[in-house]
Structures are given as structure tokens and as C-alpha cells.
């Protein structure tokens, strides 16, 4: 059983910073892609950033230069450093793990709320 737990969300003023954390537990392959997605009220869920087990990163254009995704030393941990936050970043942020070991299973965290005020 794979579980993802996010933390670090909260309320911050525009221009501020937050650091989100995600830890995956359970039986996962060493070959996986972890990432962050977000969903604002009334909008579709969108990809924010991903990182492979080898450290290759990918970012949505809207967050390039402001957000940084990284892996921790512990297996299947991932962070999202968010700087220069804007009100448009307000959303529920979800951690995702795409396990490539067999057929590519996806696992999701419960989500953490990020609210950026003006």
C-alpha cells in the first residue's frame, strides 16, 4: 500500500515563500516520477512541476523561475520551494507519484491548501 503525505501549505502574502514537502511510503519502484499538481476553484487540475528519479525536472511555464522541485535524501521524498508567490498560485496542491516499475501506477496525496493574499 502506497501512501503520499503532503505538508507545508498555508496562508502567505504575495511575494512570500512556502516550501511544500511530500513523502511516499510503501512498496514503490526506484524508477518513478514525482510531481506537484494544483487545482484552483472552478479550474482544471494542472501540472506544476515534475522530477524523475534521476533528477530531471520539468516546470509549467507559469512557475518557471519562481518554483523549484527537488528530491530529498530519503527515497521518494520531494519538495517544492515556492518563491515570489502570486495570488494566482492559490490552489490545493497535490503530490503525485508515477511508479514506472511495472505498468505505471499513479498515487496521489490528500492535498494541501496554499492561499496567497494580495
Amino acid at each position: 500500500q502506497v501512501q503520499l503525505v503532503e505538508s507545508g501549505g498555508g496562508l502567505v502574502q504575495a511575494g512570500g515563500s512556502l516550501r511544500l514537502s511530500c513523502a511516499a511510503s510503501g512498496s514503490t519502484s526506484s524508477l518513478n516520477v514525482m510531481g506537484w499538481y494544483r487545482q484552483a476553484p472552478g479550474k482544471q487540475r494542472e501540472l506544476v512541476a515534475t522530477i524523475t528519479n534521476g533528477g530531471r525536472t520539468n516546470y509549467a511555464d507559469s512557475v518557471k523561475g519562481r518554483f523549484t522541485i527537488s528530491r530529498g535524501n530519503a527515497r521518494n521524498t520531494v519538495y517544492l520551494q515556492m518563491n515570489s508567490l502570486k495570488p494566482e498560485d492559490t490552489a490545493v496542491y497535490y503530490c503525485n507519484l508515477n511508479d514506472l516499475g511495472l505498468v505505471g501506477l499513479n498515487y496521489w496525496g490528500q492535498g494541501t491548501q496554499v492561499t496567497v493574499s494580495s
Side-chain angles (χ1 to χ4, degrees):
Q1 183 66 51
V2 176
Q3 302 282 342
L4 301 182
V5 179
E6 305 111 326
S7 63
L11 175 64
V12 65
Q13 292 187 354
S17 298
L18 285 173
R19 186 172 187 252
L20 305 183
S21 300
C22 176
S25 62
S27 298
T28 61
S29 172
S30 60
L31 298 176
N32 64 70
V33 177
M34 297 189 72
W36 292 93
Y37 295 72
R38 66 186 182 186
Q39 186 169 23
K43 296 184 178 180
Q44 300 271 25
R45 183 177 63 186
E46 64 176 351
L47 186 149
V48 177
T50 60
I51 185 167
T52 70
N53 54 273
R56 183 179 299 171
T57 59
N58 185 50
Y59 297 92
D61 289 340
S62 60
V63 306
K64 285 182 178 178
R66 299 189 298 120
F67 292 9
T68 303
I69 189 170
S70 62
R71 284 183 178 265
N73 292 330
R75 182 180 176 182
N76 294 334
T77 59
V78 66
Y79 304 95
L80 185 68
Q81 179 66 46
M82 304 185 294
N83 298 326
S84 302
L85 282 162
K86 305 175 181 179
E88 305 93 278
D89 296 317
T90 295
V92 177
Y93 284 69
Y94 297 92
C95 183
N96 168 266
L97 186 151
N98 185 2
D99 194 333
L100 306 179
L102 187 58
V103 296
L105 299 177
N106 273 292
Y107 302 94
W108 295 90
Q110 81 289 345
T112 185
Q113 177 70 50
V114 172
T115 302
V116 184
S117 63
S118 299

